[in-house]
Amino acid sequence: MNWYVVYTKPKWEKKVAEKLNQIGIECYCPLITQVKEWSDRKKKVEVPLFNSYVFVQLENVDRNSVFQIAGAVRYLFWLGKPAIVRNEEINIIKKSLMSSNVSDISVNSIQPGDRIKLETGAFSNQDAIVREVSNTHYILVLESLGCVLKIKYK
């Protein structure tokens, strides 16, 4: 069976994943823990790693069953066909998120257009192209995963 990428309504990723599991469709919504700060408190919350995306594993003929769930909008397409994610890529994401070693990242004069290899974190050993460098964040393109990553720093 193939893994497909389902685009969801904004902020519906966890709800869609839960409902898909309830109707027997295997899905994966990678979550990371972040500290959110409000004016009166700080709290650790689990947020999706990929905004508005959930991975589902099913046969091609069963793809329309996903739309029984409120919040599932459409499939992500690549070159006119539904995007297929390899099992190895899903396993890389799972393994990276289970890693408990978080370390500081130091950056030395990275410029847009540079090709880099991520050494630590959830996307370790992934090649990336630097799209943007600002005072607060980097935007990297991970071609092998077909996504754009925004890394904030202080």
Side-chain angles (χ1 to χ4, degrees):
M1 288 192 288
N2 292 322
W3 284 96
Y4 296 97
V5 183
V6 175
Y7 183 76
T8 68
K9 290 181 179 180
K11 309 285 187 199
W12 279 59
E13 304 89 345
K14 293 194 285 187
K15 291 178 227 166
V16 168
E18 181 182 326
K19 295 290 185 188
L20 287 169
N21 281 325
Q22 286 176 0
I23 65 168
I25 295 176
E26 175 152 3
C27 67
Y28 177 54
C29 180
L31 301 173
I32 56 174
T33 303
Q34 289 184 340
V35 176
K36 296 284 186 175
E37 187 173 342
W38 290 270
S39 60
D40 60 338
R41 68 188 184 285
K42 289 183 183 180
K43 184 177 180 181
K44 287 185 181 180
V45 294
E46 282 191 327
V47 296
L49 180 61
F50 303 108
N51 292 331
S52 297
Y53 292 120
V54 173
F55 301 100
V56 295
Q57 187 178 36
L58 39 74
E59 296 291 340
N60 189 35
V61 295
D62 298 328
R63 284 190 313 114
N64 285 337
S65 61
V66 167
F67 300 115
Q68 297 173 29
I69 304 301
V73 176
R74 63 179 170 82
Y75 281 98
L76 182 69
F77 279 75
W78 178 257
L79 300 175
K81 297 179 184 175
I84 295 175
V85 181
R86 297 186 323 247
N87 279 327
E88 301 85 48
E89 293 170 327
I90 296 293
N91 291 335
I92 287 171
I93 295 169
K94 287 180 179 180
K95 181 180 175 186
S96 297
L97 292 177
M98 285 192 292
S99 172
S100 61
N101 60 349
V102 177
S103 60
D104 293 333
I105 300 173
S106 63
V107 178
N108 298 324
S109 67
I110 291 179
Q111 301 296 319
D114 287 352
R115 289 187 171 272
I116 62 171
K117 186 170 197 104
L118 302 176
E119 296 177 18
T120 61
F123 297 101
S124 62
N125 297 320
Q126 294 293 315
D127 293 318
I129 299 171
V130 179
R131 180 185 285 175
E132 179 182 321
V133 177
S134 80
N135 292 335
T136 58
H137 66 271
Y138 294 100
I139 296 184
L140 307 175
V141 177
L142 303 176
E143 290 179 329
S144 64
L145 297 176
C147 68
V148 176
L149 179 65
K150 182 175 182 179
I151 300 175
K152 294 181 183 178
Y153 63 94
K154 295 180 180 184

